[in-house]
Amino acid sequence: MSKVFKMSFSSIYQMYLQKAERKGRTKAEVDQIIFWLTGYDDSSLQDQIEQEADMETFFANAPQMNEKVSLIKGMICGYRVEEIENPLMQKIRYLDKLVDELAKGKKMEKILRE
């Protein structure tokens, strides 16, 4: 099992926020991406953070993965996200990819595959 599965979501969330904010993006935009991908809302996301949920639990508890996840393609951490075989690792990398796109200045409509 990958170490990332047991990392706390809140610690990774902080890294996402720092990455986005360094590039002039906002917490609201990071949250919007998470809501779009997982179906969490403000309250349920905050619950996951406060409960120190690990990444495995965070995705297991996700209300509804977006049906457009198959439109997320490209490289992240040296892997093509669409070819990652482990379902949990793929979900984690989808989120990494979306936050990466945000930090690179992509428009929100493109990030959310609209």
Side-chain angles (χ1 to χ4, degrees), residues 19-34:
K19 181 176 189 170
E21 289 169 352
R22 271 196 313 268
K23 299 294 186 169
R25 304 307 287 257
T26 65
K27 176 186 182 297
E29 289 174 308
V30 172
D31 288 353
Q32 185 180 357
I33 287 169
I34 294 169

Side-chain angles (χ1 to χ4, degrees), residues 35 40-50:
F35 300 160
Y40 281 110
D41 60 20
D42 217 18
S43 169
S44 56
L45 176 63
Q46 197 55 46
D47 287 345
Q48 292 295 306
I49 292 167
E50 287 170 9

Side-chain angles (χ1 to χ4, degrees), residues 60-111:
N61 291 342
Q64 177 71 49
M65 289 300 287
N66 194 299
E67 71 270 1
K68 293 183 180 179
V69 295
S70 63
L71 300 177
I72 303 170
K73 299 193 182 327
M75 298 292 285
I76 190 79
C77 300
Y79 296 96
R80 294 202 71 74
V81 290
E82 62 272 26
E83 294 173 1
I84 295 172
E85 292 185 8
N86 181 295
L88 176 57
M89 183 59 81
Q90 188 174 48
K91 290 173 186 172
I92 292 168
R93 295 302 182 206
Y94 282 150
L95 186 51
D96 290 346
K97 179 76 176 151
L98 296 176
V99 172
D100 200 48
E101 289 176 357
L102 180 71
K104 286 181 176 169
K106 267 197 170 182
K107 291 185 175 164
M108 208 52 147
E109 304 82 62
K110 287 206 185 292
I111 295 170

Side-chain angles (χ1 to χ4, degrees), residues 9-25:
F9 171 75
S10 63
S11 67
I12 292 176
Y13 178 66
Q14 288 305 313
M15 288 186 256
Y16 289 153
L17 292 179
Q18 290 166 2
K19 181 176 189 170
E21 289 169 352
R22 271 196 313 268
K23 299 294 186 169
R25 304 307 287 257

